Every structure is written in structure tokens, then in C-alpha cells.
Amino acid sequence: MCCRCCSKTQQKIWVFGTATVFLVLGLVGIICGPSLIMDMIYKMLPLKEGGRTYDKWANTPVPIYMAMYLYNWTNTEDVRVKGVKPNFERVGPYVFREERIKQNITWYPNNTVSFMPQRFWYFEPDMSGGTLEDKITCPHLPTIAASNIARDFPKVIKVFFNIALNSNGGSLYQTHTADEWLFKGFYDEFLDYAMKLNNSMTGDIKDNHFAWFLHRNGSADFEGIFTINTGAEDLREMGELKLWNGVNHTGYFKDECGRVNGSTSDLFVPNRKPDEWITIFMKDTCRIINLVPSGRTTIEGIEGIRYETKPDTYDSGTLNPDMKCYCPPELMPNNCPKHGATDIRSCADGAPMFMSHPGFLYADPSYANTTTGTKADPEKDVFFITMEPKLGVPLDVNVAIQISLHIQPDRDISLLRGIPSFYAPLFTINSIAKITPDIAKEVKLALNIPNIGLYTGIGITCLAVLIASVGIFVTVTKRWYEPIGDENTIINNH
């Protein structure tokens, strides 16, 4: 129906009716558009084969680097002098580029998927503070571990143990290259001897070579089988660890401290609330780590929330009674470790090893005061993850942990006779990752898409206002198009 055929009343109905429709659509776009589009994005996030999340999960696109620091024991010959503390100098970092691949991916009808992580490490000399040929002196873990097991044996048995230890490669410390300590490994006479014995004292020794990460580089089965939720039914469960090697409890710590939960750090729950914690499961230490919000920051133009560990992260009930279950049963109730270090001997085949922040940051001074030469650096020793909360995308990561060995004197074991009790730092791991500019562009685009609904709604609303304004102007100025013939005749004819 053309204007020449419309009456003034019909013209007003068309103009103001169109303005009303556009106004309603515009307001809907402004009020509901962003949330509707965000809901559409969230429906695309669950982990499924061929989905948008799958490729980035199966092969991590963000470059990850593992910066390893070793600790060189510089005064090994002086520790038996009364009052002399062992001195350890932090050496490195030895930086390795890390590639993560997931093997044996299996999907289950209960909205879970299992996989076996495979990691490869490639040395980056230009990023490192030393070479892999650096000579480093460290405590001899096999000797300390075996001596710790023998500590409570009857004295007559310890005499024979001491003879065997001294005759078959036992030592308080050894010197090897950084490469040998880390991945390459070295032949160990005492391990060879223990492997041949294979009794209750030595345990099941499977190799006569030693390294902190022996046979780890490229291994497809070292870390075990992880089963996580895909988020297909409940997005708030996406990436949450349900089983490790088929069970929901590690068995290494009691009660809640041994429960399998949190993220494997490859996938995080989206739409996170500002006050929510992040929980990460760390296979190497058989426990979870909680990180709490500490503030907001901007990475590559994306606003994120920074989550950090806190002073009671490595507590055993001193600061937080809920963490009493991290205390070894044999030390309860009055001999639990002081706050700042977790006793992980149950996860380390009985070796008296402790997990803490590097340099015993936040820990009781009694740990760091047993040695000299090492100090915590709050800038690089803090454990944090900066995350964009809406999509659950990590922007900046620094997973910093230190593994130490508790060495104690023993009058019946000559290698340990006359030494002080101390916590020897063995190595520090800083797993570092930062979002790349290309991936940041994708994240920013996904975050800005909901604004399209908002801006479209604003545009339609403005058009509605414009049309209504024109209608009001024409009405006030009496400039509606005069129809042909008598208006009543036209109306009757129609």
C-alpha cells in the first residue's frame, strides 16, 4: 500500500507502528542480547571431539617453558664442623620448552573423557642461565632415602646396613652435570646394589641409574590416566578431575587431602565468580594446590583475575585445622611439620622429601634457617595463575615449587654421623606460560561478540526513535501526505 493510497490515519499507523516494533526489538537487544549471545558461546565450550575447545585441549597452543633451578652444595666438607650450616647456591635456570600431547583419549557416556598426558622437553640455551654441562653437587637421595628407612631398625641390623652402604656406593653427596641430574641420568652403584637385593629395606628398585626426571621426557604412561568431566551436561564441571588411574582418592594423604579433584591445568571452569578459588591437582606431589583471588590485572589487553597461593598452602594443621590431614599419620598429633612445607614422603617412596614455595617463601623460618645461601624472591618464587574468568582462559602462569630433602644425623650411620639436621633444597620448578598475541585476539573477539547484540539493539533503538521523531514532526507540522480524493471515500473503498 503506497502513501498515495493511504489515509493519514493509515500513514500514522505505519510510521508509529514501525517505530514501536523497532523500539521493542532494540530494547530486547540491549537488555537480553549480550546474555543470549554469551549463552550461545557457552554452549560451544564443552569438550567434545571436533569442537572448538578440543584442539586447544589436545595440543596446548600456548608455549610453555619449564625453568629448572638446581642447588649447588658448596661446603660439603665443612658440615661436620660444629656450627657450620650447609650452604646451597641456586644455579640456573635451565629452561626447557615443553610440549604437551594427550594420548589414548577415550570418551564415556557419563560426560567424562580419559587421557594419558605425554610431555616433551627441549633445552633452550638462549633462555637459560647455565649450560647442561655445569657441574653441580647435590645430596645423594638414594643414600638418604635408604638411611631414613633404616633409622628405626635395631642397632645390630644398622651395623650391617652401614657396612653395606659404605661398601656399595653410598655417599652423602655426589657431583654430576646438570643434564645428568635432570634428565640424562647417571649410573649409581648403590642403586645397582639395592636393585640386586630387592628386599623390604631397599624396596622395588627398577633402575640402576638416577635423575630427578629419569625416563620422564616423552613418556606416555608416567603420569597415569586422568578422567575429567567434559562439561556437556554442566558447564560448571568442565575440566574437573574425577578419577586418577581409575580411583577418586590418591591414597597418599588421609581423608579430604587425598581426594582427587580440581583441574589438571589444561582446562578450567568458565564463568568463574570473582571470589572463587582455583584448585589444581599435581600428580608429581600427589596433592591439590588451592589458589585464591588476589586482584585484577590486564594481560595482552584482556582483564583477568590473579590467583595466588597463600601462607597456609603448605600447612599441616598449624594455620588451618582443615589441613591436618597432610600430616603423616606417624607424626600425629604433636610432631606435624610446621607450616610452609608439606611432607610428601608417602608420595616419594618413603624418602623424606618436602614440597614448598621456592626459598621456603611464607614458611616457618625454621626451614630456611637450617642452611645458608638461599633466599626467597617474591617476584619469581610466587605461585600464581592469571585467568580471564568468563571463558576460563589462563593468561599468565607461574607454577613455582621447591622440592627439598630432610637430612638428619645418625650416630650408627657413618655418612650421617656428626652432621646437623637440615632441609637441603634439591631443585625448583617454575612452569611458565603466557598467552600469545594471536590467541589473545581470539579471546578478545569471543569476549566482544556479546557486545554485538548490545550495539545492534542500540542501533535499532536509535532507528525507532528517529522514525518516531519524524512521525511526531510531520504530525506537528501537519505535513502528512494528502491522499487522493476524500479520505472517507478511500477508507470505504478499502
Side-chain angles (χ1 to χ4, degrees):
M1 184 180 293
C2 62
C3 290
R4 188 177 293 273
C5 301
C6 293
S7 67
K8 290 183 179 180
T9 300
Q10 290 174 318
Q11 292 177 47
K12 291 177 182 179
I13 291 174
W14 275 106
V15 170
F16 291 111
T18 301
T20 301
V21 170
F22 280 3
L23 180 62
V24 171
L25 291 175
L27 292 176
V28 169
I30 293 173
I31 298 171
C32 303
S35 60
L36 290 174
I37 294 175
M38 204 67 207
D39 287 343
M40 294 174 60
I41 293 175
Y42 284 145
K43 288 180 181 179
M44 300 167 61
L45 288 182
L47 185 62
K48 59 182 178 180
E49 196 166 8
R52 289 182 175 271
T53 304
Y54 178 80
D55 289 339
K56 292 180 174 57
W57 171 78
N59 296 281
T60 306
V62 176
I64 302 173
Y65 295 94
M66 184 175 71
M68 295 287 301
Y69 292 88
L70 296 175
Y71 291 86
N72 186 38
W73 190 354
T74 63
N75 63 342
T76 54
E77 299 301 321
D78 301 329
V79 292
R80 299 181 199 279
V81 177
K82 187 175 181 179
V84 175
K85 295 181 180 181
N87 186 75
F88 290 88
E89 293 181 353
R90 193 186 302 201
V91 182
Y94 303 97
V95 180
F96 296 82
R97 177 172 50 85
E98 180 178 315
E99 289 186 4
R100 298 182 180 183
I101 300 174
K102 293 174 176 62
Q103 302 287 2
N104 298 331
I105 299 174
T106 306
W107 304 87
Y108 299 99
N110 64 342
N111 299 314
T112 62
V113 58
S114 67
F115 61 95
M116 300 177 71
Q118 184 178 22
R119 305 190 188 200
F120 297 87
W121 288 281
Y122 305 94
F123 184 58
E124 296 285 349
D126 294 340
M127 300 175 66
S128 301
T131 73
L132 293 180
E133 300 305 313
D134 293 344
K135 293 287 187 178
I136 299 170
T137 300
C138 292
H140 187 233
L141 177 61
T143 292
I144 305 303
S147 299
N148 188 66
I149 295 173
R151 185 172 300 279
D152 296 326
F153 287 177
K155 190 165 185 176
V156 64
I157 296 179
K158 289 179 73 175
V159 169
F160 288 104
F161 171 79
N162 186 51
I163 294 172
L165 188 66
N166 292 331
S167 303
N168 295 279
S171 58
L172 180 60
Y173 57 87
Q174 289 191 3
T175 302
H176 298 281
T177 66
D179 195 19
E180 289 172 328
W181 282 115
L182 292 173
F183 290 104
K184 185 178 179 181
F186 53 86
Y187 169 77
D188 190 281
E189 182 182 352
F190 181 68
L191 280 179
D192 188 68
Y193 169 74
M195 188 168 63
K196 292 174 183 177
L197 287 180
N198 193 26
N199 58 30
S200 58
M201 183 183 297
T202 60
D204 184 19
I205 307 297
K206 297 186 172 101
D207 204 300
N208 60 6
H209 282 67
F210 180 83
W212 302 125
F213 300 95
L214 187 68
H215 305 318
R216 179 76 178 270
N217 201 344
S219 172
D221 57 7
F222 185 90
E223 296 187 39
I225 303 173
F226 294 84
T227 303
I228 66 172
N229 193 294
T230 63
E233 184 174 344
D234 183 359
L235 198 60
R236 294 290 303 169
E237 291 285 316
M238 187 177 77
E240 286 294 291
L241 184 61
K242 298 301 179 182
L243 303 172
W244 179 41
N245 291 327
V247 295
N248 63 1
H249 198 281
T250 66
Y252 293 109
F253 298 102
K254 293 182 64 178
D255 305 326
E256 280 297 299
C257 292
R259 189 169 64 88
V260 171
N261 69 106
S263 168
T264 59
S265 77
D266 297 308
L267 204 61
F268 290 94
V269 171
N271 199 19
R272 190 176 294 274
K273 298 177 182 177
D275 58 346
E276 277 190 79
W277 292 11
I278 287 179
T279 300
I280 298 176
F281 179 78
M282 303 187 70
K283 180 269 167 192
D284 289 331
T285 55
C286 309
R287 62 159 292 177
I288 61 169
I289 299 293
N290 290 318
L291 298 95
V292 300
S294 64
R296 291 184 176 270
T297 185
T298 301
I299 307 291
E300 292 289 344
I302 303 171
E303 185 179 16
I305 300 175
R306 176 162 162 144
Y307 301 84
E308 296 182 358
T309 49
K310 51 182 183 174
D312 72 351
T313 296
Y314 302 111
D315 187 30
S316 299
T318 304
L319 302 179
N320 185 350
D322 293 337
M323 301 183 73
K324 190 76 173 181
C325 46
Y326 281 116
C327 179
E330 61 270 23
L331 299 181
M332 287 188 178
N334 300 319
N335 295 315
C336 295
K338 295 182 179 179
H339 78 272
T342 298
D343 189 326
I344 58 172
R345 71 181 70 190
S346 60
C347 182
D349 298 322
M353 301 179 75
F354 284 74
M355 176 188 184
S356 68
H357 292 101
F360 293 110
L361 181 69
Y362 304 139
D364 187 280
S366 60
Y367 293 105
N369 287 345
T370 61
T371 62
T372 60
T374 59
K375 291 184 179 180
D377 184 345
E379 290 296 321
K380 64 182 178 182
D381 291 339
V382 65
F383 187 143
F384 72 84
I385 295 177
T386 300
M387 182 178 298
E388 196 291 308
K390 289 184 179 179
L391 300 178
V393 177
L395 306 176
D396 193 13
V397 177
N398 184 49
V399 177
I401 63 171
Q402 176 178 297
I403 302 298
S404 304
L405 183 65
H406 189 200
I407 302 177
Q408 302 178 74
D410 193 310
R411 290 185 296 178
D412 300 320
I413 300 174
S414 55
L415 290 171
L416 301 179
R417 190 179 299 137
I419 66 170
S421 175
F422 62 99
Y423 293 86
L426 300 178
F427 58 85
T428 291
I429 301 175
N430 283 62
S431 188
I432 304 165
K434 192 169 185 177
I435 193 169
T436 63
D438 289 341
I439 298 178
K441 289 179 181 178
E442 295 182 25
V443 174
K444 284 188 280 189
L445 176 61
L447 292 173
N448 287 327
I449 286 177
N451 290 331
I452 294 175
L454 174 64
Y455 297 141
T456 301
I458 292 174
I460 294 175
T461 301
C462 291
L463 181 60
V465 172
L466 177 62
I467 294 174
S469 299
V470 170
I472 292 172
F473 175 78
V474 173
T475 300
V476 171
T477 58
K478 299 180 180 180
R479 294 186 181 183
W480 290 105
Y481 189 84
E482 292 290 342
I484 300 174
D486 181 72
E487 182 176 306
N488 291 329
T489 301
I490 295 176
I491 294 176
N492 292 332
N493 290 337
H494 282 78

